[in-house]
Amino acid sequence: SAVISQKPSRDICQRGTSLTIQCQVDSQVTMMFWYRQQPGQSLTLIATANQGSEATYESGFVIDKFPISRPNLTFSTLTVSNMSPEDSSIYLCSVDSALNTEAFFGQGTRLTVV
Amino acid sequence: AQSVAQPEDQVNVAEGNPLTVKCTYSVSGNPYLFWYVQYPNRGLQFLLKYITGDNLVKGSYGFEAEFNKSQTSFHLKKPSALVSDSALYFCAVRDPINTGGFKTIFGAGTRLFVKA
């Protein structure tokens, strides 16, 4: 199993500003994922972050809006840039170790943009 | 393309009664299937998974699920519901052949209410 610490747990931000969310894992993992969960809805994958390479973004998400860093095998950050109220969501970090294992999730960051 | 459907937005059941939360999937190969639960203001917690082998899998908190290949279903079940089971449940699928990696697709979620 993996223990994931995600910071901040919540924040209220002004529109037009940026917020960086941190994800720290207690073990080395190859792949880290960032999801968005809008209120009362399912999880939507934003991007996959591999150490040593650029993140791979899903359709509808772009690097300019959601830049991701992955400096080592235990840490990643997601930045939500130039925020608008539509960005208000829960952002979740997740890790996997193998295809046939379950994913582990951080507690999430609840972002409110005003 | 792979997809997951949870046809019920909400399931209501009385405490002590059996519960079922439905899930159907669509993948081109043999799927890896998962159930996760989300309690209020918490991250997702893993319940159980089907990778291969016995179609009936048992998981945490007394939950189980049955993989039915002909019906492409993976319904979550529990023989006797508890009030504390009230939460949001997500079915998820991974297609190990076509995702090109570890990408997991989640269903829309089903909110379970267990009434005392």
Side-chain angles (χ1 to χ4, degrees):
Chain A
S1 65
V3 177
I4 303 171
S5 301
Q6 198 173 326
K7 294 193 291 187
S9 59
R10 59 178 63 230
D11 207 341
I12 301 173
C13 300
Q14 296 292 321
R15 66 177 68 201
T17 63
S18 297
L19 175 72
T20 295
I21 302 167
Q22 298 180 2
C23 180
Q24 178 75 52
V25 189
D26 68 343
S27 57
Q28 294 185 341
V29 293
T30 304
M31 307 188 75
M32 296 180 76
F33 303 84
W34 287 98
Y35 288 87
R36 182 174 72 184
Q37 184 180 20
Q38 294 179 304
Q41 297 191 25
S42 186
L43 281 72
T44 301
L45 182 62
I46 297 172
T48 303
N50 292 335
Q51 195 267 339
S53 62
E54 284 201 4
T56 303
Y57 289 83
E58 297 299 306
S59 175
F61 297 96
V62 295
I63 188 171
D64 290 345
K65 176 67 175 177
F66 297 101
I68 288 171
S69 77
R70 183 79 200 274
N72 57 52
L73 291 173
T74 64
F75 187 78
S76 178
T77 68
L78 169 76
T79 298
V80 186
S81 303
N82 189 24
M83 289 183 285
S84 67
E86 291 72 32
D87 294 320
S88 298
S89 286
I90 298 172
Y91 292 85
L92 291 152
C93 170
S94 172
V95 303
D96 278 301
S97 58
L99 273 175
N100 62 351
T101 63
E102 60 274 20
F104 296 95
F105 288 85
Q107 294 292 82
T109 296
R110 184 178 294 272
L111 171 62
T112 302
V113 184
V114 296
Chain B
Q2 58 183 347
S3 64
V4 181
Q6 292 181 244
E8 302 154 316
D9 292 336
Q10 184 172 307
V11 170
N12 299 310
V13 65
E15 187 174 35
N17 284 359
L19 70 87
T20 299
V21 183
K22 296 179 181 177
C23 172
T24 59
Y25 64 89
S26 175
V27 299
S28 54
N30 292 319
Y32 292 170
L33 296 158
F34 305 82
W35 276 101
Y36 294 87
V37 60
Q38 186 177 37
Y39 297 100
N41 301 313
R42 304 272 294 275
L44 269 71
Q45 297 178 33
F46 167 74
L47 277 179
L48 50 79
K49 65 183 177 184
Y50 172 81
I51 303 298
T52 187
D54 194 346
N55 289 345
L56 182 65
V57 293
K58 294 186 183 295
S60 306
Y61 312 120
F63 284 93
E64 59 188 31
E66 185 165 12
F67 170 62
N68 188 318
K69 189 170 184 177
S70 63
Q71 297 185 5
T72 62
S73 67
F74 190 57
H75 301 331
L76 181 70
K77 299 182 180 184
K78 187 173 182 180
S80 179
L82 300 172
V83 172
S84 57
D85 293 330
S86 298
L88 186 56
Y89 290 81
F90 291 100
C91 183
V93 65
R94 187 179 288 164
D95 183 345
I97 295 176
N98 292 317
T99 60
F102 294 74
K103 185 162 50 175
T104 302
I105 303 300
F106 287 84
T110 298
R111 191 165 296 279
L112 173 66
F113 287 102
V114 181
K115 187 175 181 180

